Amino acid sequence: MPDSLHRCAWCGTDPLYVAYHDDEWGVPEYDARALWEKLVLDGFQAGLAWITILRKREGIRDAFDGFDPEKVAAYGEADIERLLVDARIIRSRAKINSAVKGARIWLEVRDSGEDFSEWLWSFVGGAPIQNAWPDSDGRPVATPESEAMARALKKRGFTFCGPVIVYAFMQAVGMVNDHGVECFRHKAVRAMAGR
């Protein structure tokens, strides 16, 4: 029997999408490694539907050693070739290379003493932006904050991180609360705004 909760229209009725909407989307994430993983997954989404990534996420995690930056940064050509034939993932050489390069950059940031999480959260002033969109209204696909973050990520050498991908990332990791005001998650996510 379907529940009667009002959800954001974008999640539809696919149980995987509904669970993602209800449990993850918009929840503030502060763990630096988890943020990097989500950035990689959003990069893998480029040109695809998010449900494709959700369906492959566990396979991608497994193929990329649980997104351990130390392990992924050490990948060589044999690892790239292994990944290119792994049907559990998005088999794009450019996206795989982007993930490996991103792991190396993530390690450089960490080893320089900078906190990757604090740096990313600085683009929203350290706290989630609380929007109040009616569910029927469209959300922006990019904002000045996502454009600034995308420029900064690219300057560091990250790829597959344009302003649209970055805005989707910001929504997903709770830097922006874009649940519709009618959505049952809007108030719950708003309440999570403090660390």
Side-chain angles (χ1 to χ4, degrees):
M1 179 174 151
D3 64 48
S4 60
L5 296 173
H6 184 93
R7 292 179 173 86
C8 297
W10 63 260
C11 77
T13 59
D14 183 297
L16 191 58
Y17 236 166
V18 170
Y20 174 72
H21 170 274
D22 291 1
D23 301 329
E24 294 181 59
W25 195 72
V27 173
E29 177 62 69
Y30 297 98
D31 179 77
R33 196 227 42 91
L35 287 167
W36 172 69
E37 173 182 340
K38 186 65 177 71
L39 191 61
V40 171
L41 290 172
D42 274 308
F44 270 106
Q45 182 200 353
L48 303 170
W50 181 245
I51 192 68
T52 302
I53 303 305
L54 285 180
R55 289 180 181 141
K56 291 183 173 275
R57 181 166 58 171
E58 291 310 313
I60 297 169
R61 279 183 179 146
D62 185 53
F64 280 88
D65 290 301
F67 285 100
D68 179 332
E70 300 271 356
K71 291 180 180 177
V72 176
Y75 284 2
E77 191 54 38
D79 297 292
I80 305 299
E81 294 302 322
R82 167 185 61 82
L83 292 166
L84 283 170
V85 297
D86 192 332
R88 299 173 302 163
I89 74 164
I90 307 302
R91 293 176 287 181
S92 159
R93 182 178 290 275
K95 291 176 181 181
I96 293 167
N97 285 336
S98 177
V100 174
K101 184 178 182 185
R104 293 173 183 158
I105 297 165
W106 188 92
L107 291 174
E108 288 171 10
V109 170
R110 182 200 66 190
D111 294 347
S112 73
E114 189 172 4
D115 185 303
F116 188 66
S117 176
E118 284 182 17
W119 178 67
L120 289 175
W121 276 91
S122 73
F123 290 93
V124 293
I129 294 171
Q130 299 296 328
N131 288 321
W133 308 105
D135 199 33
S136 58
D137 282 2
R139 311 294 186 268
V141 296
T143 62
E145 293 85 1
S146 75
E147 290 168 0
M149 186 186 291
R151 278 191 306 274
L153 284 163
K154 287 178 181 179
K155 186 174 180 180
R156 286 190 182 251
F158 287 96
T159 54
F160 288 97
C161 58
V164 174
I165 288 173
V166 168
Y167 193 67
F169 164 78
M170 293 170 79
Q171 291 172 310
V173 300
M175 291 179 182
V176 179
N177 180 1
D178 266 357
H179 283 281
V181 292
E182 301 94 343
C183 176
F184 85 101
R185 289 293 289 162
H186 182 82
K187 287 182 183 174
V189 168
R190 179 182 288 271
M192 296 176 193
R195 269 189 157 175

